[in-house]
Amino acid sequence: MVESSRIFTAALVVIGDEILSGRTHDKNIAQIAAWLQVQGIRLQEVRVIGDDMDAIADAVNALREKHDYLFTTGGIGPTHDDITVDAISRALGLEVIVHPDARAILERYYEEKGGVSEARLRMARTPEGAELIPNRYSGAPGMRIANVFIMAGVPAITAGMLDALTGELEGGARLLSETVGSWVAESEVADLLREAEKAHPDCQIGSYPFFREGKVGANFVVRSTEADALAACTRQLSKSLEAQGNPAYPGGI
Amino acid sequence: MVESSRIFTAALVVIGDEILSGRTHDKNIAQIAAWLQVQGIRLQEVRVIGDDMDAIADAVNALREKHDYLFTTGGIGPTHDDITVDAISRALGLEVIVHPDARAILERYYEEKGGVSEARLRMARTPEGAELIPNRYSGAPGMRIANVFIMAGVPAITAGMLDALTGELEGGARLLSETVGSWVAESEVADLLREAEKAHPDCQIGSYPFFREGKVGANFVVRSTEADALAACTRQLSKSLEAQGNPAYPGGI
């Protein structure tokens, strides 16, 4: 019997009034979720909260012990509403310091852009003991303190920070997935899905209906850490869809 | 002195493995957030969790007492992974019943589409005592039980359900907002923002930087329930940006 490898989990706290007001459409959830999958880490929970000291500290403390990794996005810029570093430091019982390496990075970055003002220096503040996460895009770094990863709110900057972290975090077996699509109402194939999942206990199947081109359809996503089980389950599902007269599209519609 | 009206708050639980895997980009957070603003209700927290009975029940119980309204999206379809109704019923200590009106709706909807199968009948299941929320799009209704609103995962269907609820929920003073944009690094105007906010205690200012067309810029969003204070704060901010040599774009960039 092969011992199954440990599962690594993560949570994400998205910080920002602009998301809660509906003004800004979050892009970091999907981006971080997809990146974590590749690292073999499962995103299990996301919380979106406002620029509020207590809300941030409470969310960080509720999630950092439940998961191997906790990511935050947003609130690390130079303005008065950027309070993430203060809130996380409070949550962890740490002082806020001006990180010397972060200060040096900002001094280089702003050398020909008017120098490091008091506002810009805010972006060198970190919880005491934090390591920096490089930001190849705009100077001001992200931070890692214990299992908490403090990332930017601007998706392009967060993408660069994730890139810098790629391969750095310990993960488990990667969750693999295959998608099969069909122009069928999911209610007509509920039994097929249940049967395919039952016959392959290492797999889960998700059913994602849509309406497009005036027709109903659904994509069925089979997930497993076992490549063989995944292939077998996907095959059974495709065959049983075809047997019912519903052409199955590998890769989804 | 005018008494300020009570503030109404809401939370949202987004249910679905497909969001946590990064496969599907959530659209319901922004859609529900924007809709709530118009109802005079503030979205204060969102949680995204997987198709897991305990996770759903825990999130619902953690949030329904903290807020005036709790919305959920996802997991009310006909397939085996649709467990929202069961999880919320468990959280509220209620039985799951087949709602006679929901059954009648589905019987009409599927009359010429093959009839109501066992899988389809799953979509008529509600917590005992729930009221239905019409779904003008695809038959299967949403539900309201106490202060919990159970909505679809497909954004177009949720939009129709929100439409049916428009004007039905008690809200407070609507949070108004004005946006001013400028092609400036937010770190150069941090003081201006702080001063404008300090001079107008009824207003909050959010600063949202971006990189576009190879240039840095930011949008500053002033929020208040008081129209006069909002206008005065926005005016001060625009003037002080201009005085610094940064053209201010009303409405944002």
Side-chain angles (χ1 to χ4, degrees):
Chain A
M1 204 178 108
V2 180
E3 212 176 56
S4 69
S5 70
R6 168 156 126 63
I7 291 173
F8 289 79
T9 70
L12 166 64
V13 179
V14 173
I15 299 162
D17 288 343
E18 74 276 23
I19 310 287
L20 291 178
S21 72
R23 189 181 173 279
T24 300
H25 290 227
D26 168 78
K27 291 179 183 159
N28 282 321
I29 296 175
Q31 159 169 277
I32 291 177
W35 180 85
L36 284 168
Q37 285 255 351
V38 177
Q39 314 307 309
I41 299 165
R42 303 201 191 164
L43 181 61
Q44 285 205 324
E45 183 171 357
V46 181
R47 296 194 188 178
V48 185
I49 53 177
D51 302 313
D52 177 274
M53 192 74 83
D54 292 335
I56 300 171
D58 288 351
V60 165
N61 274 336
L63 296 173
R64 70 189 172 95
E65 293 188 351
K66 271 175 69 181
H67 298 282
D68 296 294
Y69 305 105
L70 174 62
F71 286 75
T72 71
T73 60
I76 61 169
T79 57
H80 64 286
D81 55 339
D82 292 307
I83 57 172
T84 297
V85 167
D86 301 83
I88 291 178
S89 299
R90 182 195 287 183
L92 275 66
L94 296 171
E95 294 293 316
V96 176
I97 61 153
V98 173
H99 194 294
D101 296 348
R103 182 181 196 133
I105 289 168
L106 293 173
E107 279 168 354
R108 270 199 308 280
Y109 183 80
Y110 286 111
E111 196 168 5
E112 292 177 1
K113 299 188 181 75
V116 173
S117 61
E118 194 185 332
R120 286 169 173 169
L121 195 59
R122 276 180 67 80
M123 295 187 284
R125 297 165 76 248
T126 73
E128 194 180 2
E131 290 168 44
L132 303 183
I133 301 171
N135 165 4
R136 294 158 192 181
Y137 206 68
S138 62
M143 291 145 256
R144 173 187 188 157
I145 177 77
N147 67 336
V148 182
F149 295 77
I150 306 171
M151 318 288 277
V154 177
I157 300 181
T158 295
M161 292 178 179
L162 290 173
D163 192 42
L165 287 175
T166 296
E168 297 289 313
L169 307 190
E170 188 182 1
R174 186 173 163 194
L175 191 64
L176 307 169
S177 72
E178 289 278 359
T179 301
V180 178
S182 190
W183 291 105
V184 62
E186 57 169 359
S187 60
E188 290 179 22
V189 296
D191 291 343
L192 297 190
L193 301 179
R194 203 187 303 266
E195 282 157 20
E197 201 181 75
K198 207 169 165 191
H200 300 92
D202 289 338
C203 300
Q204 294 93 42
I205 305 178
S207 171
Y208 307 114
F210 58 78
F211 298 80
R212 241 182 267 161
E213 305 166 27
K215 293 183 292 180
V216 299
N219 285 309
F220 309 108
V221 180
V222 187
R223 297 188 182 90
S224 181
T225 55
E226 307 297 328
D228 292 348
L230 180 70
C233 184
T234 306
R235 212 160 38 232
Q236 171 173 343
L237 180 58
S238 299
K239 278 191 183 171
S240 56
L241 282 166
E242 303 269 2
Q244 249 199 8
N246 300 305
Y249 297 86
I253 297 174
Chain B
M1 203 179 109
V2 180
E3 213 178 55
S4 70
S5 70
R6 167 159 127 61
I7 292 173
F8 289 79
T9 69
L12 167 63
V13 179
V14 173
I15 299 161
D17 288 343
E18 72 277 22
I19 311 288
L20 291 177
S21 71
R23 188 181 175 279
T24 300
H25 290 228
D26 168 78
K27 290 178 182 159
N28 282 320
I29 296 175
Q31 158 167 278
I32 290 177
W35 180 84
L36 284 169
Q37 285 256 351
V38 177
Q39 315 306 308
I41 299 165
R42 302 199 193 164
L43 182 60
Q44 286 204 323
E45 182 171 358
V46 180
R47 297 194 187 177
V48 185
I49 54 177
D51 302 313
D52 178 275
M53 192 75 83
D54 292 336
I56 300 170
D58 288 352
V60 165
N61 275 336
L63 296 173
R64 70 190 173 96
E65 291 186 354
K66 272 175 70 183
H67 299 281
D68 296 295
Y69 304 105
L70 174 62
F71 286 74
T72 72
T73 60
I76 61 168
T79 57
H80 65 286
D81 55 340
D82 292 306
I83 57 173
T84 297
V85 167
D86 302 83
I88 293 178
S89 299
R90 182 195 287 184
L92 275 66
L94 295 172
E95 294 292 317
V96 177
I97 61 151
V98 174
H99 194 294
D101 295 349
R103 182 182 195 135
I105 289 168
L106 293 173
E107 281 169 353
R108 270 198 308 280
Y109 183 79
Y110 286 111
E111 194 169 4
E112 292 176 4
K113 297 186 181 76
V116 173
S117 61
E118 194 185 335
R120 287 170 173 169
L121 195 58
R122 276 180 67 80
M123 297 187 284
R125 297 164 77 247
T126 73
E128 194 180 2
E131 289 167 46
L132 303 182
I133 302 171
N135 165 4
R136 294 157 191 179
Y137 206 69
S138 61
M143 293 145 256
R144 172 188 188 158
I145 178 78
N147 67 337
V148 182
F149 295 76
I150 305 171
M151 318 286 278
V154 177
I157 298 180
T158 295
M161 291 178 179
L162 291 174
D163 191 44
L165 287 175
T166 296
E168 297 288 313
L169 307 190
E170 188 182 0
R174 186 174 161 192
L175 191 63
L176 307 168
S177 72
E178 288 278 0
T179 301
V180 177
S182 190
W183 291 106
V184 63
E186 57 169 359
S187 60
E188 290 177 21
V189 296
D191 291 344
L192 298 190
L193 301 179
R194 204 188 302 266
E195 282 157 20
E197 199 180 74
K198 208 170 164 191
H200 299 90
D202 289 336
C203 300
Q204 294 94 42
I205 306 178
S207 172
Y208 307 112
F210 57 79
F211 298 79
R212 241 181 267 162
E213 304 166 28
K215 293 183 291 181
V216 297
N219 285 309
F220 309 108
V221 179
V222 188
R223 296 189 183 92
S224 181
T225 55
E226 307 295 327
D228 293 349
L230 179 71
C233 183
T234 307
R235 211 158 41 229
Q236 172 175 337
L237 179 59
S238 299
K239 278 190 181 171
S240 56
L241 283 165
E242 303 269 2
Q244 248 198 11
N246 300 305
Y249 297 86
I253 297 173

